[in-house]
Amino acid sequence: MRLARIFVLGYAPKNGGVLLHCLKGAALGGFLLGTALTSSSSGSLAQDIEYGEYLAGECTTCHRKDGSYEGIPSITGWPAESFIAVMNEYRSEDRENPTMRTISRRLTVEDLEALAAYFETLSE
Amino acid sequence: MPYMLKKISRRQALKIGGAAGAALAAPMIIPAHAASPRLVVVGGGAGGATVARHVAADSKGAVDVTLIEANKTYTTCFFSNWYLGGFRTMESITHGYGGLEKAGVTVMNQWATGIDPDGKTVTTADGSKVGYDRLVVAPGIDFKFDTIEGYDAGVAETIPHAYKAGPQTTILRNQLEAMEDGGTVVVAPPPNPFRCPPGPYERISLIAHYLKHNKPKSKIIVLDAKNKFSKQGLFQEAWATYYDGMIEWLPADMLGGGVNKVDAGAMSVSTADETFQGDVINVIPAQMSGKIARDTGLANDSGWCPVDPESFESQQIPNIHLVGDSIIPGDMPKSGFSANSQAKVCANAVRHLLTDSRLFPARFSNTCWSLVGTNDAVKVGASYNVGDGKIKKIEGFISKTGEDRDLRSQTADEAIGWYSGITADMFG
């Protein structure tokens, strides 16, 4: 499967948290450019919503599942492509938040796709 | 309490009250092997509440979940230092169990007094017996009062530990408010291992914040049972920056060990080498797993409970699982975040064992934020999986000394967001 890696224009990577929040607006506003990133996600767990829901337990300790913002941005209802792109940027250290870098680095491509697929199904 | 009013409808509140009233009137005998497999959870903190709510919500009625919790509300230990420093109200860190009931959990406000592993029942203070197919025990910590001469639960009303949040925390805050300017606050952090490794030092920071703004001639003396502590460089940098000259930290090697004696009448505490007077004294004793875990034989000689790191089933007694501060957690620290993380892995495993639902690999994370001053927080954290037969650290991170104020302010906002997130995850 081929995934689109999405680059966001005009961000300042100092604040990973607020960035995510901004990115959501940017993504929905269509300010995204895509380039190809080949994924090896052929495993059975890729885009597995139930697996994604399990993995999301790690996210919902901080990111409220209802999508409200009280200091940590919402990831509820995010487009899967945006979710994957942002997590890849944490993994490559293009974004600075050390919590998110640590979380992102231990996710496999399958994990990431399952998580992204799950969060996309949620609505605020 | 605004949170309660917001989260629990009048009808739900009457339902809770009615259940409690019925329990008082006539002990219940609840049979094991009901129509659905029965999960009973003892203890409604970060570990227990999370397991109960997630199993009930995820199983969609396939598992009959009962939470046995003595108190009708839960005050989080995390952020209780923020209350001490004046950054939070007690109401804002106190939560009801209405969200768990909404998820399908039966909440029994009773003390769990005993567990019969052979009969698979839990006995409560009113004489009820609750049958289970799987039991999760999440009792948190108890204090080793016998390690400090003159200290017990009664003396703690005068010299609070404030390390189980709620009335104890209020006592400490009231004493700080009543103290004259120029007074001395003595804080005695415990030896390892203990709940929330940065907790005593965030507390020292936020007591100092309160004193600086209200009683600036006052001092804090720290009588530590250890020679080093979590995020030490970060805390000591903050103490020098914000509270210069106010905090004197004395490590165990300078004291001949930690506090080993309390004299409530004289308002003094002693170590092997010296006695210290305080106007307010906060002694945090050495810790062990909660009483019901020890009474049941779930703890080993260390006082803590060994568990399988993937299912959290006790290594001492089958069909009983434990999460949170009471367990031996491998590389994880004892924290609310850790308990919540373990609880979701445990919930997946228990549900699998009860209903043959899908079992996913265990994985964990933890972050501990500490507020050190207004809009200034630091954090430490790590990710974990299972390796070498235990919960094993994969990668960690920690804030750096000298970080700019914007980043520290963002970290403080993040801490506030985490509190909102984890309490929603625990309580619904």
Side-chain angles (χ1 to χ4, degrees), chain A residues 10 18 26 37 89 101 107 119 124:
Chain A
V18 171
L37 174 71
E89 291 186 359
R101 284 182 176 181
L107 295 173
F119 276 108
E124 292 184 15

Side-chain angles (χ1 to χ4, degrees), chain B residues 188-192 201 222-228 249-253 255 257-259 284:
Chain B
N192 293 322
Y201 310 96
V222 184
L223 307 177
D224 209 324
K226 305 175 295 302
N227 289 315
K228 59 182 182 178
W249 177 71
L250 301 173
D253 278 355
L255 298 164
V259 166
I284 309 170

Side-chain angles (χ1 to χ4, degrees), chain A residues 2-33:
Chain A
R2 294 177 70 81
L3 295 176
R5 180 171 184 178
I6 298 173
F7 295 93
V8 180
L9 297 176
Y11 70 75
K14 274 286 182 188
N15 178 355
V18 171
L19 262 179
L20 278 169
H21 199 57
C22 295
L23 179 64
K24 184 177 179 184
L28 296 175
F31 294 109
L32 299 174
L33 294 176

